[in-house]
């Protein structure tokens, strides 16, 4: 989230689109209720289904799954052509005036630089700003230059008329216009809309670009950095925010630092490429501190073994030979027989990943599989024949499966990072039963045994293991406190920080501004620096006082970065440093310094007249409508159809087959033949959650099993009638990859939509059932989802695929 949970109460308008917060985030959803009750906020919900969130909305509109960019693109066009933008904000705080290189173009659904054979944009050289001779970006403050971002954006979205958007989304035009009109009222300074989204936006082959389009809308309205504004990802697993923060993705390092690629063997070049120089004179470009964060990380990992002479152990970091080893890639390699063993920790891939039969075949090619989990999951039982629900030939599967029972979060102390970026400490409720061990214990023992063997026998590339620093009191079980203190970081030798304060060797650091690139500081995750200081565990704080009445609650837990609650909050004040609206005060210039109700996201002593731009994480200091070269499929979001499209063409590019679905989406060659077509599988299906279950494990819990005992699918009344299905019938839902069977729920909550002059029916499939646990056994929903994903995040397209439905 750019903003945070309690801040939702500051919104005037709440758009829930691409999520179902009342169902999947019921505790956080109370802040929506607060905003409605105390702030007269209005709630708009856009979802293929009339959801539990929609049931308390002021306005609801249906949408065809996978078509949200058409809606957002139409909205951008509407705001620009009706002049409903926050002018001063857009002019001063965004890239509208920046001149784009002449090499950038867009034609027939494709941006410049596309390589059809490689299915990717191999030449992104045009996707950037024109620079002057000093290396600064060229701008045209009058916005008249046809190559400035403003003019290019206007041109790009002029194609997204209300008619075209409506016929692409299947949303009646008058409903669409009503929503756009209401959203447009938030272009007044001080009136804010918050956008809450989750998987309804991410789980598409074009998901990351849907979210960018939402960011563009919020920038046009001047809503980023504002109380009650922002683009807010409601995150999933209790600690999934912590997972990305700590760099558990295959191409990242803790604190959003990045792993080098194969071509980056030179340490200085690796740092220089990431320590971005300012693109405007006098601008603060915060990533110029990259080296300090990186060296401090290496000192945390390798201690005294990381030195100036050995480039802080740079050679011990893996260098990626491909952009990343995401789960789709790993399971593709596994399916090709190129993976011997798999450690599966707190993850149930056969249930969670797309195309269950493909995942099962991949697991069958392993020599060994270790499952670390409190439960016997579908993945640890994948080799067992469970009738039609898991119809495998056990005798043919030679994978050796080893289960290591772990505790779960409630059986240990530690911290969880929530969607608000708050690190909240929690205390264990009970000891784990039986032979369970904590994950930390299992991983530590494994490490210690491996290291012992390397010490005794040697081996290829042993240095990363041999040189690791392991300073914990109990070597085979570091404590949560020790680990948390290490993530925060400490002084390695006595030092004087930028403010002139001295920190003694061994003392905890208090802020990442103290980090250095000379080896005198260690920090396991620079953005967590400040969470466990000499003053103690800041994550355990539970002071909910709210002195300014702005719901920022700076004494509750600890938020990264720097206990800042709202990112980019400098933009909540006008260029002179005065809040856009006295009722929406976050930070302001008091004549000497920036301060207020939140920790300023800016350099505290730089006066407004210095003209430093507020988005200090970008080298140009402004927010981007034009994503330069950061996205796989182009600098502006464009609508592409799901890979399995119910209408067969892209209404925006009916004549270019290459631009039907995301031309840079993640798909492997062998997957094309597994995709179905609308003539065989005519219905647009989507999958989702229910409050009563948590993925695939709450079904092991008897109370949850009782409240939602059996797999069902939701179909609309019109489709049910066409198919002769009544509520309670058993139906077979099939796609080219397989089928499931379930009970039919016939509902008014899913209506047929008129899309591109044809009727599209949607089918809703909850994801929770399987062949373990206490519920009635069922088929895994992911039997139906295709094995492909987003071009940037590789997130599977679990929200849009084609099926047929028949009565059994
Ligand atoms: N009770 C419970 N809570 C949970 C979870 C759980 O399993 N159970 N899981 C947690 C996790 S890990 C996550 S990631 C979150 C997920 O949170 P959500 O994303 O809110 O959950 P979903 O139910 O997967 O999907 C949300 C909605 O997206 C809609 N949708 C589908 N396709 C589209 C589309 O193309 N456009 C739009 N606008 N909407 C679409 C669906 O109809 C659905 O109502 O929930 C978390 N909370
Ligand atoms: N079709 C479709 N597929 C989807 C989705 C969808 O919307 N539609 N949503 C996707 C999303 S967003 C998600 S997050 C995934 C969820 O997919 P998974 O994360 O694989 O699902 P869970 O059932 O939550 O599995 C977590 C496992 O962790 C175990 N566990 C709990 N605590 C601990 C612990 O402390 N240590 C260890 N080692 N294990 C522990 C649990 O017992 C459980 O088996 O599903 C994805 N798949
Ligand atoms: Mo998730």
């Amino acid at each position: 989230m750019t903003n945070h949970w309690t801040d939702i109460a500051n919104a005037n308008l709440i758009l829930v689109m691409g999520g179902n917060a009342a169902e999947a985030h019921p505790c956080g959803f109370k802040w929506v209720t607060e905003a409605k009750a105390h702030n007269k906020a209005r709630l708009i919900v856009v979802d293929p289904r009339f959801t539990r969130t929609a049931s308390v909305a002021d306005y609801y509109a249906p949408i065809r799954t996978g078509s949200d960019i058409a809606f957002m693109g139409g909205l951008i066009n509407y705001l620009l052509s009706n002049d409903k933008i926050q002018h001063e904000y857009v002019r001063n705080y965004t890239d509208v005036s920046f001149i784009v290189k002449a090499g950038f173009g867009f034609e027939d659904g494709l941006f410049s630089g596309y390589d059809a054979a490689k299915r990717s944009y191999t030449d992104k050289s045009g996707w950037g700003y024109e620079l002057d001779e000093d290396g600064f970006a060229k701008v045209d403050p009058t916005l008249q230059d046809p190559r400035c971002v403003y003019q290019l954006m206007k041109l790009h979205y002029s194609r997204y008329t209300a008619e075209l958007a409506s016929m692409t989304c299947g949303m009646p035009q008058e409903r669409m216009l009503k929503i756009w009109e209401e959203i447009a009222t938030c272009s007044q300074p001080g009136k804010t809309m918050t956008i809450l989204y989750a998987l309804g936006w991410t789980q598409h082959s074009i998901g990351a670009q849907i979210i960018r389009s939402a960011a563009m809308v919020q920038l046009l309205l001047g809503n980023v950095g504002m109380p009650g504004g922002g683009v807010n990802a409601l995150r999933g697993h209790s600690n999934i925010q912590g997972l990305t923060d700590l760099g558990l993705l295959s191409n990242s390092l803790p604190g959003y630092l990045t792993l080098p690629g194969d071509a980056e063997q030179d340490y200085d070049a690796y740092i220089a490429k990431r320590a971005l120089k300012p693109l405007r004179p006098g601008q603060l470009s915060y990533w110029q501190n990259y080296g300090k964060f990186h060296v401090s990380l290496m000192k945390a990992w390798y201690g005294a073994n990381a030195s100036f002479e050995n480039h802080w152990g740079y050679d011990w970091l893996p260098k990626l030979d491909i952009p990343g080893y995401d789960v789709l890639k790993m399971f593709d390699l596994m399916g090709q027989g190129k993976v011997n063993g798999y450690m599966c920790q707190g993850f149930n891939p056969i249930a969670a990943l797309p195309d269950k039969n493909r995942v099962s075949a991949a697991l069958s090619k392993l020599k060994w599989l270790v499952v670390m989990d409190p439960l016997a999951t579908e993945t640890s039982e994948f080799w067992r024949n469970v009738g039609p629900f898991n119809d495998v030939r056990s005798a043919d599967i030679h994978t050796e499966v080893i289960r290591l029972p772990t505790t779960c979060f409630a059986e240990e102390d530690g911290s969880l990072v929530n969607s608000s970026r708050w690190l909240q400490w929690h205390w264990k409720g009970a000891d784990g039963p039986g032979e369970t061990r904590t994950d930390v214990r299992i991983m530590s023992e494994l490490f210690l045994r491996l290291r012992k063997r390397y010490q005794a026998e040697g081996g290829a590339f042993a240095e990363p293991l041999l040189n690791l620093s392991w300073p914990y009191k109990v070597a085979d079980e570091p404590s949560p406190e020790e680990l948390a203190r290490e993530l925060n970081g400490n002084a390695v030798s006595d030092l004087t920080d930028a403010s002139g304060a001295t920190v003694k060797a061994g003392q905890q650091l208090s802020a990442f501004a103290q980090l250095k690139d000379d080896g005198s500081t260690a920090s396991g995750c620079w953005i967590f620096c400040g969470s466990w200081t000499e003053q103690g565990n800041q994550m355990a704080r539970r002071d909910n006082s709210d002195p300014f009445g702005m719901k920022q609650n700076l004494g509750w837990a600890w938020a990264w970065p720097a206990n800042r609650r709202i990112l980019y909050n400098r933009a909540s004040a006008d260029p002179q440093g005065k809040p856009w609206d006295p009722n929406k005060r976050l930070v302001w210039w008091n004549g000497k310094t920036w301060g207020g109700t939140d920790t300023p996201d800016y350099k505290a002593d730089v006066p407004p007249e210095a003209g430093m731009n507020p988005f200090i994480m970008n080298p140009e200091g402004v927010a981007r409508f034009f994503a330069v070269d950061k996205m796989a499929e182009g600098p502006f979001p464009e609508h592409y159809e799901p890979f399995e499209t119910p209408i067969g063409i892209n209404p925006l590019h009916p004549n270019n087959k290459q631009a039907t679905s995301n031309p840079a989406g993640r798909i492997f060659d062998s997957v094309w033949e597994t995709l179905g077509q609308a003539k065989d599988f005519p219905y647009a299906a989507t999958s989702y959650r229910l409050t009563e279950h948590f993925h695939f494990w709450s079904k092991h819990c008897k109370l949850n099993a009782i409240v939602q005992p059996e797999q069902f699918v939701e179909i609309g009344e019109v489709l049910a009638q066409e198919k002769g299905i009544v509520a309670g019938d058993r139906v077979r839902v099939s796609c080219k990859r397989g089928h499931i069977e379930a009970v039919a729920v016939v509902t008014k909550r899913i209506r047929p939509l008129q899309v591109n002059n044809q009727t599209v029916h949607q089918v809703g499939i909850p994801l929770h059932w399987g062949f373990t646990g206490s519920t009635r056994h069922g088929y895994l929903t992911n039997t139906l989802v295709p094995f492909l994903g987003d071009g940037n995040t590789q997130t599977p397209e679990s929200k849009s695929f084609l099926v047929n439905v028949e009565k059994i």
Side-chain angles (χ1 to χ4, degrees):
M1 286 171 123
T2 56
N3 292 41
H4 56 92
W5 286 112
T6 50
D7 175 70
I8 295 169
N10 291 319
N12 304 98
L13 181 65
I14 298 149
L15 175 67
V16 177
M17 186 165 174
N20 182 9
E23 184 110 36
H25 301 86
C27 282
F29 192 71
K30 71 168 167 268
W31 298 103
V32 175
T33 312
E34 291 273 329
K36 278 166 68 78
H38 301 299
N39 211 20
K40 295 202 178 67
R42 283 171 58 82
L43 169 64
I44 297 177
V45 173
V46 178
D47 197 293
R49 309 175 300 126
F50 186 84
T51 59
R52 281 175 169 166
T53 310
S55 73
V56 290
D58 297 284
Y59 203 77
Y60 162 79
I63 189 165
R64 173 173 65 103
T65 171
S67 67
D68 296 57
I69 290 180
F71 177 96
M72 285 290 165
L75 173 56
I76 292 169
N77 186 24
Y78 177 89
L79 296 174
L80 287 171
S81 44
N82 291 291
D83 197 25
K84 296 288 185 187
I85 66 176
Q86 216 277 51
H87 284 272
E88 220 186 329
Y89 183 106
V90 170
R91 229 172 241 282
N92 289 289
Y93 298 164
T94 77
D95 62 357
V96 280
S97 60
F98 284 60
I99 310 291
V100 170
K101 286 186 192 163
F104 168 76
F106 178 75
E107 217 185 306
D108 213 9
L110 296 171
F111 292 89
S112 50
Y114 189 61
D115 181 335
K118 296 204 167 115
R119 281 191 47 79
S120 79
Y121 287 93
T122 48
D123 177 12
K124 291 184 174 180
S125 57
W127 303 7
Y129 306 130
E130 290 269 5
L131 303 182
D132 65 17
E133 43 299 343
D134 299 319
F136 294 125
K138 288 189 190 166
V139 295
D140 171 20
T142 70
L143 308 185
Q144 297 306 308
D145 190 309
R147 296 211 59 84
C148 76
V149 169
Y150 176 76
Q151 295 294 346
L152 290 173
M153 169 167 64
K154 224 169 119 168
L155 179 69
H156 189 85
Y157 291 104
S158 61
R159 296 169 295 124
Y160 287 72
T161 60
E163 294 77 21
L164 191 60
S166 163
M167 71 116 113
T168 304
C169 300
M171 185 186 296
Q173 215 185 114
E174 64 284 359
R175 288 217 192 184
M176 200 170 241
L177 286 166
K178 186 137 195 308
I179 295 176
W180 291 355
E181 214 174 283
E182 186 145 352
I183 289 175
T185 63
C186 294
S187 61
Q188 293 166 41
K191 196 163 175 208
T192 53
M193 164 172 76
T194 180
I195 298 182
L196 309 182
Y197 76 91
L199 303 181
W201 273 0
T202 59
Q203 292 182 332
H204 296 283
S205 49
I206 192 71
Q209 292 278 21
I210 304 180
I211 296 149
R212 274 215 94 243
S213 69
M216 292 169 76
V217 166
Q218 288 294 58
L219 289 173
L220 286 172
L221 299 171
N223 276 344
V224 175
M226 289 291 289
V231 182
N232 295 303
L234 310 188
R235 308 226 46 186
H237 275 297
S238 60
N239 202 27
I240 200 70
Q241 181 69 49
L243 180 146
T244 38
D245 296 347
L246 288 172
L248 268 74
L249 299 177
S250 71
N251 52 3
S252 35
L253 289 169
Y256 302 93
L257 307 182
T258 48
L259 267 184
D262 238 356
E264 298 187 283
Q265 300 294 333
D266 182 68
Y267 170 70
D268 293 323
Y270 162 81
I271 299 289
K273 192 173 164 201
R274 288 154 178 83
L276 299 169
K277 290 202 184 63
L279 286 174
R280 299 285 293 157
Q283 183 59 41
L284 171 63
S285 169
Y286 207 80
W287 281 117
Q288 285 206 285
N289 295 304
Y290 192 97
K292 300 174 187 168
F293 310 147
H294 179 82
V295 172
S296 300
L297 170 68
M298 298 304 274
K299 289 300 285 181
W301 282 0
Y302 293 110
N305 292 327
S307 65
F308 176 80
E309 289 69 33
N310 65 19
H311 296 136
W312 318 103
Y314 184 67
D315 290 348
W316 308 330
L317 282 181
K319 313 285 183 298
L320 286 162
D321 56 343
I322 56 169
Y325 286 91
D326 57 280
V327 277
L328 292 185
K329 181 71 187 176
M330 281 312 300
F331 275 81
D332 186 59
L333 290 171
M334 209 185 279
Q336 295 176 39
K338 291 183 179 163
V339 181
N340 286 331
Y342 189 62
M343 299 274 303
C344 182
Q345 183 182 8
F347 180 29
N348 190 353
I350 198 172
L353 289 184
D355 200 343
K356 179 247 175 185
N357 292 329
R358 195 180 181 91
V359 172
S360 177
L363 292 171
S364 305
K365 296 228 167 99
L366 290 170
K367 293 205 174 78
W368 52 264
L369 167 68
V370 175
V371 178
M372 291 170 61
D373 203 288
L375 301 166
T377 64
E378 279 80 4
T379 298
S380 69
E381 307 300 296
F382 85 95
W383 49 272
R384 196 190 290 278
N385 186 301
V386 191
F389 309 117
N390 194 44
D391 192 12
V392 292
R393 290 160 61 103
S394 303
D396 292 349
I397 299 174
H398 300 291
T399 311
E400 179 166 6
V401 181
I402 298 157
R403 283 181 53 209
L404 299 177
T406 66
T407 52
C408 80
F409 66 93
E411 293 157 347
E412 56 196 35
D413 294 348
S415 69
L416 299 167
V417 191
N418 72 359
S419 308
S420 302
R421 293 168 280 105
W422 302 347
L423 282 75
Q424 301 191 101
W425 197 258
H426 69 91
W427 293 266
K428 85 163 141 182
D431 289 323
E435 294 186 291
T436 54
R437 300 279 184 276
T438 64
D439 291 84
V440 171
R441 168 85 185 266
I442 295 171
M443 295 312 268
S444 301
E445 278 196 40
L446 180 60
F447 161 68
L448 293 169
R449 288 184 199 194
L450 279 171
R451 186 166 70 173
K452 216 165 149 188
R453 266 190 87 168
Y454 273 108
Q455 276 162 344
E457 299 166 26
F461 201 39
E463 292 89 343
L465 279 178
L466 297 183
N467 291 326
L468 205 63
S469 156
W470 204 259
Y472 313 106
K473 281 202 194 91
V474 179
D476 62 9
E477 191 149 29
S479 70
E481 291 78 10
E482 286 173 306
L483 295 172
R485 290 172 64 101
E486 176 180 324
L487 290 172
N488 178 88
N490 60 275
V492 174
S493 45
D494 294 358
L495 63 95
T496 309
D497 74 11
S499 71
T502 52
V503 189
K504 291 251 165 266
Q507 282 189 339
Q508 290 294 103
L509 298 170
S510 54
F512 53 72
Q514 293 174 318
L515 296 175
K516 303 214 181 208
D517 60 6
D518 61 2
S520 61
T521 58
S523 169
C525 185
W526 71 277
I527 56 174
F528 288 180
C529 197
S531 62
W532 195 311
T533 65
E534 282 299 305
Q535 275 69 51
N537 182 352
Q538 304 302 300
M539 302 171 276
R541 298 182 309 157
R542 292 294 184 272
D543 172 4
N544 69 352
S545 57
D546 180 17
F548 295 93
M550 285 305 298
K551 300 258 182 332
Q552 301 307 319
N553 310 100
L554 300 190
W556 182 275
W558 187 86
W560 72 258
N563 203 27
R564 178 172 301 129
R565 303 293 157 140
I566 296 186
L567 298 179
Y568 319 118
N569 59 27
R570 160 67 182 88
S572 68
D574 65 16
Q576 290 73 45
K578 217 167 104 258
W580 293 108
D581 178 340
N583 296 319
K584 293 247 161 88
R585 297 180 312 153
L586 269 186
V587 300
W588 54 88
W589 177 252
N590 68 10
K592 288 196 188 102
T593 173
W594 288 91
T597 70
D598 193 7
T599 317
D601 194 350
Y602 203 58
K603 208 161 184 306
D605 57 356
V606 173
E609 52 279 14
M612 184 190 281
N613 289 324
F615 288 82
I616 57 172
M617 300 310 283
N618 282 344
E620 65 275 47
V622 291
R624 292 176 185 152
F625 288 110
F626 187 81
V628 296
D629 60 356
K630 296 295 174 208
M631 304 294 286
E633 48 288 280
F636 291 128
E638 176 69 8
H639 168 76
Y640 298 106
E641 287 289 307
F643 272 82
E644 288 192 333
T645 159
I647 54 175
I649 58 155
N650 182 345
L652 279 105
H653 310 290
N655 301 320
N656 184 5
K657 270 215 148 341
Q658 264 178 0
T660 302
S661 299
N662 183 354
R666 168 67 123 177
I667 183 163
F668 302 98
D669 289 343
S670 59
V671 171
W672 288 102
E673 63 182 34
T674 71
L675 301 186
Q677 292 188 358
K679 65 177 169 39
D680 309 311
F681 305 100
Y683 311 121
T686 194
S687 59
Y688 48 89
R689 310 163 150 65
L690 308 170
T691 300
E692 296 82 355
H693 277 304
F694 201 91
H695 303 152
F696 319 104
W697 57 306
S698 61
K699 65 182 183 304
H700 291 259
C701 181
K702 295 222 166 67
L703 284 176
N704 300 67
I706 290 165
V707 287
Q708 287 288 3
E710 184 172 9
Q711 170 98 48
F712 62 86
V713 299
E714 295 190 82
I715 53 177
E717 289 179 342
V718 180
L719 177 60
Q721 202 160 29
E722 273 178 25
K723 294 275 173 174
I725 295 166
V726 296
D729 280 350
R730 280 193 75 76
V731 292
R732 180 185 157 99
V733 182
S734 54
C735 70
K736 195 147 176 219
R737 298 159 290 280
H739 76 275
I740 68 165
E741 293 175 12
V743 176
V745 166
V746 177
T747 176
K748 292 187 199 314
R749 291 177 282 105
I750 305 180
R751 305 252 171 137
L753 302 177
Q754 288 307 309
V755 183
N756 201 29
N757 304 318
Q758 72 187 72
T759 302
V760 170
H761 292 284
Q762 305 198 87
V763 173
I765 313 172
L767 56 80
H768 303 292
W769 289 271
F771 52 87
T772 67
S774 301
T775 49
R776 200 166 282 178
H777 283 175
Y779 291 79
L780 288 167
T781 294
N782 271 311
T783 308
L784 300 173
V785 175
F787 194 85
L788 53 88
D790 179 274
N792 304 280
T793 62
Q794 292 80 44
T795 299
E797 191 153 57
S798 323
K799 289 287 184 265
S800 297
F801 48 95
L802 292 180
V803 297
N804 192 16
V805 179
E806 297 150 292
K807 182 172 165 159
I808 296 172

